[in-house]
Amino acid sequence: MKTTLNSPLSSLSRISPDHEAGLKKLNISNILELLHHFPIRYADMREISGTSTLVAGQPFTVYGVMEKVSVRRSFKGHMPMTEARVADNTGTIRCVWFNQAYIGKMYPDGTKVKISGVVHSDARGFLLSNPNIERAEGIIPESQESLFAPNADTNFLTPVYRETKGVSSLYLYTLIKKAIQLNVLDDIVDPIPPHVLKKLHLPELREALLYIHFPKNEALTIAARKRFAFEEIFSLQLKQYQEKVEAKHSLAYPIKVDKIGIKKFIDSFPFKPTTAQMDAINSILKDLSRKEPMGRLLEGDVGSGKTFVAATVTYAVLQNSAEKNGRPLQIAYMAPTEILAKQHFESFIKYFEGTGIEIGLLTGSGCGKFPSKSDTSTPTAVSRAQLLSWLADGRVSIVIGTHALIQKSVAFQNLALIIIDEQHRFGMKQRKSLAQKKDTVRKELPHLLSMTATPIPRTLALTIFGDLDLTVIDSMPLERKKIITEIVPARGRTETYEKIRKELQAGRQVYVICPRIDEQDEEERQKRILKSVKEEAQRLADVIFPEFIVDILHSKMKKEEKEEVMQDFLDKKSDILVATSVIEVGINVPNATVIIIEHADRFGLAQLHQLRGRVGRREYQSYCYLFTESEGEITQKRLKALVNAKNGFELAEQDMLARGIGALMDGKQWGISDLAMEAIKNPKLVEIARDEARELLDNDPTLEKYPELAEIIRKRTQVHME
Ligand code: ADP
Ligand code: MG
């Protein structure tokens, strides 16, 4: 039987259980997926200068001869391993291949090989662990002098793949090579229409796969990578435009706007809304009044008052309830964490007090409702089943919750609006499933308001929010005091701690952000590279602030543990919270007035800005101290930008230009690969992807002519949101 792209890997080679487990971890189950496992980098033969100039941590490639090859079992486990020395004319390098006894047999003493890997060092000196190895007969120039002067025509780039336990880069490379030799690319179909590729001068799929795995030269690998990045961005654009068109063609409840009622609601707040807030409310109300469902993204800096906007439009929608034949309208408000959901719940209770509107809270750890039966101003705890039945029969009009809201068991009577806070992706599927009551299929699609404080550069916004219209809140409530931001070098520490002590003594709380979690090993400690959360917490508790309570929060903790620590901090059971950047997401502890950021130079500007937004949430003067040991000019200049910045968007753009979007934010949270994140920097590419996607779908809405493309988009939808 002919081996094809859909053939299992076992058609290439015998796959041991270890290999199979490793491959599964890398999400590789057939040849197509294998070929889409792209190299993370290329080891470049031209980088080499021989075994005499090894540097730990650096990639290294050498042409040499195998010596002292031995196959044995590792002393601790029973893992078979091959050990050898590879000699060139300047010396030798020790190489070890764990779990790969066959290397010893395939490359006995005297074999000429090309080896590449990352240099490590241990007590016995330098070594390469599981390096790539290839036979190099005929490549190694015979004369010793020319050994390290490869001529430019020869191929010196070796792909390096992401590895996992049991699956080495070399193993992957061997499998890929085999697949290509079996001509699996013969009948491969390019999903991207040829005219689109032409416009961007991108290689076709077949060529691109060859260039990316068997690089002839750098230019070709770059072209290949760009092609795959484009494919991803293009398919995203297609999917989003499809959703946009689908939404346009669906019905929604048009909301009648009662201006006088809304004004009364707004007047009940203790503050006057900013112009930006009012503009946002007006554009949302305009959308809501239409027959087709709204899809709008509200982008506003931390503290710009998005909750107020959400509450006001919620109120506006609920004023229409009476008109829908006694089936009151409902609103679902989804937050990324339980604490935030609870905070929104409490805010909404305040805002809606006296209106008679019933509000529910739905999280994994409990449910609540307001007003309670006894009609006090505190909510009562209710069972999940009870709350679900009230949502299904329409009694509860507003439900605030976490991801728990999108579980199948949650059904609404008449969901009119979904509000999503800091949740970057919410697709048509979720929207539909939320809208549909279990037994009836409803025609109307709910309106969608997505809110974020993450400053998103335009090209990225076009890519991930192509289906949404954008509103920006570009100013902050006036009475907010500016957060005093200072760059603190090592020598300024003591003085700064004393200032902070005064804040703590006045009853305020402090965040301390560190870039890493674990204890460091001795070498790192000596280099004083990074502060770790645990270590720093210990130091602060023992030495600096022994009179205060220190707690820690980091990303390796369980979700419930994190929630508990945050709740304690909110309840002022702890004074100082040492954390990794996990606290970035919109948490609100108004009593916290100081944030220290250790190794501030290691964070992106936009991220620093987000972190800084954790303080300054009440009338108290707040402080952000950027601790840094790097006094270099570039660091200082970068951090100064933060001191002077007016808003996060400015910083996001700066970050993007300086470090790429990948450094700015994690693509994974949007389901975008690093490869595509890098390409998003290129506005032309993104715009062509967008324009072409639109044109294609306008002419062929179901992509009948491009079934492969349709398939890619279908797969995208599945991974959309866990
Ligand atoms: P975010 O946009 O980060 O979600 P919030 O909605 O949490 O911001 O608002 C932050 C704080 O600002 C809240 O305590 C809120 O009551 C307050 N606030 C909102 N709008 C205004 C305003 N126009 N004037 C004064 N304070 C406001
Ligand atoms: Mg918020």
Side-chain angles (χ1 to χ4, degrees):
M1 208 179 79
K2 186 172 165 9
T3 307
T4 71
L5 290 167
N6 295 319
S7 302
L9 297 174
S10 54
S11 59
L12 297 176
S13 145
R14 200 186 68 81
I15 311 282
S16 73
D18 273 4
H19 282 149
E20 195 173 313
L23 288 163
K24 199 170 156 204
K25 223 185 212 160
L26 296 172
N27 288 325
I28 303 175
S29 66
N30 61 20
I31 296 183
L32 186 71
E33 283 163 1
L34 173 71
L35 294 179
H36 279 84
H37 187 74
F38 299 144
I40 39 176
R41 62 182 182 84
Y42 299 91
D44 189 343
M45 167 59 185
R46 288 159 300 185
E47 289 161 11
I48 70 159
S49 45
T51 54
S52 58
T53 54
L54 294 163
V55 180
Q58 289 296 309
F60 176 77
T61 299
V62 68
Y63 282 63
V65 177
M66 294 287 275
E67 285 179 357
K68 298 190 179 152
V69 178
S70 72
V71 178
R72 57 185 180 84
R73 296 202 169 268
S74 62
F75 31 84
K76 270 193 208 143
H78 299 283
M79 200 192 269
M81 55 186 269
T82 301
E83 213 175 17
R85 290 194 161 267
V86 173
D88 66 6
N89 60 343
T90 64
T92 68
I93 168 98
R94 189 157 49 98
C95 299
V96 186
W97 290 270
F98 294 102
N99 224 348
Q100 297 178 66
Y102 69 91
I103 297 238
K105 300 193 189 90
M106 274 175 72
Y107 307 94
D109 276 16
T111 317
K112 290 178 181 166
V113 291
K114 173 183 174 186
I115 304 264
S116 51
V118 175
V119 177
H120 295 275
S121 71
D122 67 9
R124 290 165 59 199
F126 292 118
L127 89 155
L128 297 176
S129 159
N130 289 339
N132 264 325
I133 177 165
E134 252 188 296
R135 214 168 270 280
E137 307 285 349
I139 303 180
I140 295 191
E142 282 310 317
S143 123
Q144 290 283 301
E145 285 77 22
S146 57
L147 197 57
F148 301 105
N151 78 56
D153 299 323
T154 328
N155 159 26
F156 290 117
L157 294 172
T158 308
V160 178
Y161 299 93
R162 190 156 60 84
E163 303 180 327
T164 185
K165 196 166 163 264
V167 176
S168 67
S169 176
L170 173 65
Y171 176 76
L172 289 165
Y173 181 65
T174 316
L175 281 184
I176 291 168
K177 215 165 171 178
K178 226 176 217 166
I180 301 295
Q181 282 161 353
L182 290 172
N183 300 320
V184 294
L185 294 185
D186 276 3
D187 35 35
I188 197 164
V189 183
D190 196 326
I192 306 181
H195 71 271
V196 178
L197 289 176
K198 223 180 218 155
K199 202 171 236 167
L200 281 156
H201 309 290
L202 293 174
E204 279 181 30
L205 179 56
R206 187 172 180 283
E207 278 68 50
L209 282 170
L210 291 172
Y211 296 158
I212 209 162
H213 293 296
F214 309 98
K216 279 211 183 77
N217 61 48
E218 212 172 341
L220 289 180
T221 64
I222 290 172
R225 296 179 80 81
K226 190 168 158 194
R227 185 229 129 87
F228 289 112
F230 176 79
E231 183 174 314
E232 198 176 325
I233 294 168
F234 187 49
S235 69
L236 257 170
Q237 293 287 355
L238 283 163
K239 199 187 89 57
Q240 308 220 329
Y241 189 58
Q242 237 174 12
E243 296 208 334
K244 192 166 186 157
V245 172
E246 193 184 335
K248 261 227 174 76
H249 292 153
S250 337
L251 293 171
Y253 292 117
I255 301 299
K256 270 200 204 134
V257 177
D258 166 12
K259 287 209 173 116
I260 296 167
I262 293 170
K263 187 173 178 304
K264 252 167 73 191
F265 181 74
I266 292 175
D267 287 344
S268 73
F269 280 78
F271 50 75
K272 211 174 146 302
T274 63
T275 314
Q277 281 171 317
M278 283 315 296
D279 288 349
I281 288 169
N282 287 330
S283 55
I284 293 165
L285 291 179
K286 208 160 151 200
D287 283 0
L288 291 175
S289 69
R290 299 209 175 97
K291 278 200 209 68
E292 66 261 14
M294 168 174 82
R296 193 164 277 279
L297 172 68
L298 182 63
E299 221 177 310
D301 228 340
V302 242
S304 61
K306 294 184 292 296
T307 322
F308 166 77
V309 173
T312 306
V313 301
T314 296
Y315 183 78
V317 169
L318 291 182
Q319 280 198 304
N320 283 246
S321 279
E323 313 221 345
K324 306 295 169 197
N325 315 326
R327 292 171 63 203
L329 297 180
Q330 291 169 300
I331 283 123
Y333 189 169
M334 194 162 99
T337 66
E338 291 202 359
I339 294 174
L340 271 175
K342 263 185 230 149
Q343 285 187 344
H344 290 330
F345 181 52
E346 280 154 19
S347 307
F348 268 52
I349 286 173
K350 262 188 260 151
Y351 303 161
F352 287 87
E353 203 169 355
T355 59
I357 290 170
E358 304 200 18
I359 310 173
L361 173 73
L362 180 73
T363 71
S365 69
C367 299
K369 193 188 73 96
F370 179 85
S372 58
K373 278 197 207 95
S374 55
D375 226 21
T376 59
S377 63
T378 48
T380 36
V382 293
S383 76
R384 188 185 144 82
Q386 178 65 78
L387 182 60
L388 291 187
S389 87
W390 283 334
L391 288 176
D393 71 17
R395 172 172 168 175
V396 166
S397 309
I398 303 172
V399 63
I400 299 173
T402 54
H403 256 75
L405 280 177
I406 56 172
Q407 283 162 358
K408 275 211 187 71
S409 52
V410 182
F412 292 87
Q413 172 69 245
N414 227 355
L415 187 63
L417 170 66
I418 301 172
I419 301 172
I420 316 252
D421 197 11
E422 290 301 340
Q423 195 73 64
H424 296 105
R425 312 266 292 144
F426 197 76
M428 195 53 86
K429 225 174 119 205
Q430 283 88 27
R431 211 160 146 181
K432 272 190 188 152
S433 71
L434 257 182
Q436 265 153 22
K437 202 171 164 337
K438 252 182 292 176
D439 45 356
T440 58
V441 176
R442 199 182 76 159
K443 285 198 306 289
E444 290 86 358
L445 202 62
H447 296 286
L448 173 71
L449 175 63
S450 189
M451 308 196 296
T452 182
T454 310
I456 302 165
R458 204 182 103 81
T459 47
L460 183 60
L462 283 182
T463 308
I464 52 181
F465 299 121
D467 54 335
L468 302 179
D469 301 315
L470 182 69
T471 302
V472 178
I473 301 188
D474 56 5
S475 64
M476 302 290 271
L478 287 176
E479 55 243 61
R480 193 65 48 79
K481 284 208 183 101
K482 200 168 181 253
I483 299 164
I484 295 176
T485 305
E486 275 178 34
I487 305 169
V488 184
R491 59 178 182 284
R493 242 171 218 275
T494 320
E495 193 189 322
T496 305
Y497 282 140
E498 286 321 308
K499 282 196 234 165
I500 293 171
R501 194 185 312 281
K502 294 220 175 71
E503 285 290 309
L504 285 163
Q505 281 162 352
R508 303 286 85 78
Q509 287 160 284
V510 175
Y511 292 104
V512 179
I513 310 300
C514 303
R516 270 208 4 188
I517 306 162
D518 298 313
E519 296 275 320
Q520 307 143 9
D521 64 29
E522 200 47 42
E523 186 185 4
E524 273 178 301
R525 194 194 306 276
Q526 274 162 13
K527 287 192 201 147
R528 304 176 63 211
I529 297 180
L530 296 176
K531 293 229 169 274
S532 77
V533 166
K534 291 174 194 163
E535 211 182 1
E536 181 64 6
Q538 198 71 51
R539 193 180 72 90
L540 290 173
D542 292 350
V543 186
I544 312 285
F545 299 116
E547 70 273 39
F548 296 103
I549 297 169
V550 180
D551 206 348
I552 65 171
L553 183 75
H554 58 73
S555 50
K556 291 220 176 113
M557 286 161 72
K558 288 210 193 77
K559 200 169 179 333
E560 303 83 65
E561 286 177 312
K562 279 193 254 183
E563 298 267 359
E564 205 183 308
V565 170
M566 277 316 307
Q567 192 65 50
D568 283 352
F569 192 58
L570 192 61
D571 298 342
K572 209 170 177 294
K573 288 184 191 150
S574 54
D575 303 299
I576 301 170
L577 185 63
V578 184
T580 52
S581 52
V582 289
I583 60 147
E584 205 180 330
V585 186
I587 195 67
N588 192 13
V589 181
N591 190 50
T593 55
V594 177
I595 185 162
I596 295 176
I597 299 167
E598 292 285 351
H599 293 280
D601 45 292
R602 307 216 165 222
F603 292 87
L605 289 178
Q607 199 185 7
L608 287 172
H609 177 76
Q610 292 279 98
L611 288 167
R612 179 171 59 179
R614 298 307 101 219
V615 299
R617 301 180 77 86
R618 232 160 87 179
E619 66 279 12
Y620 308 123
Q621 177 61 56
S622 292
Y623 306 87
C624 171
Y625 296 110
L626 305 169
F627 282 10
T628 174
E629 260 137 64
S630 154
E631 294 190 42
E633 206 177 308
I634 296 171
T635 307
Q636 294 291 323
K637 210 171 139 201
R638 267 189 74 224
L639 294 181
K640 281 218 177 90
L642 188 75
V643 177
N644 300 325
K646 280 194 282 300
N647 60 53
F649 301 95
E650 216 174 84
L651 294 168
E653 293 285 344
Q654 278 187 31
D655 257 3
M656 179 177 83
L657 292 177
R659 321 205 305 166
I661 297 179
L664 184 62
M665 43 189 84
D666 185 4
K668 280 185 211 95
Q669 82 188 100
W670 295 293
I672 299 176
S673 73
D674 294 348
L675 189 67
M677 281 299 268
E678 199 42 46
I680 286 173
K681 237 166 85 171
N682 180 347
K684 188 174 159 234
L685 187 127
V686 173
E687 253 145 46
I688 290 181
R690 182 178 149 100
D691 294 347
E692 292 297 334
R694 295 190 166 200
E695 200 181 315
L696 202 62
L697 282 173
D698 285 343
N699 294 321
D700 181 3
T702 54
L703 293 176
E704 224 168 304
K705 270 192 257 155
Y706 300 99
E708 289 78 15
L709 205 50
E711 175 64 14
I712 290 178
I713 298 164
R714 199 185 58 75
K715 277 197 193 137
R716 269 217 158 266
T717 312
Q718 285 172 342
V719 295
H720 205 60
M721 195 164 113
E722 80 283 33

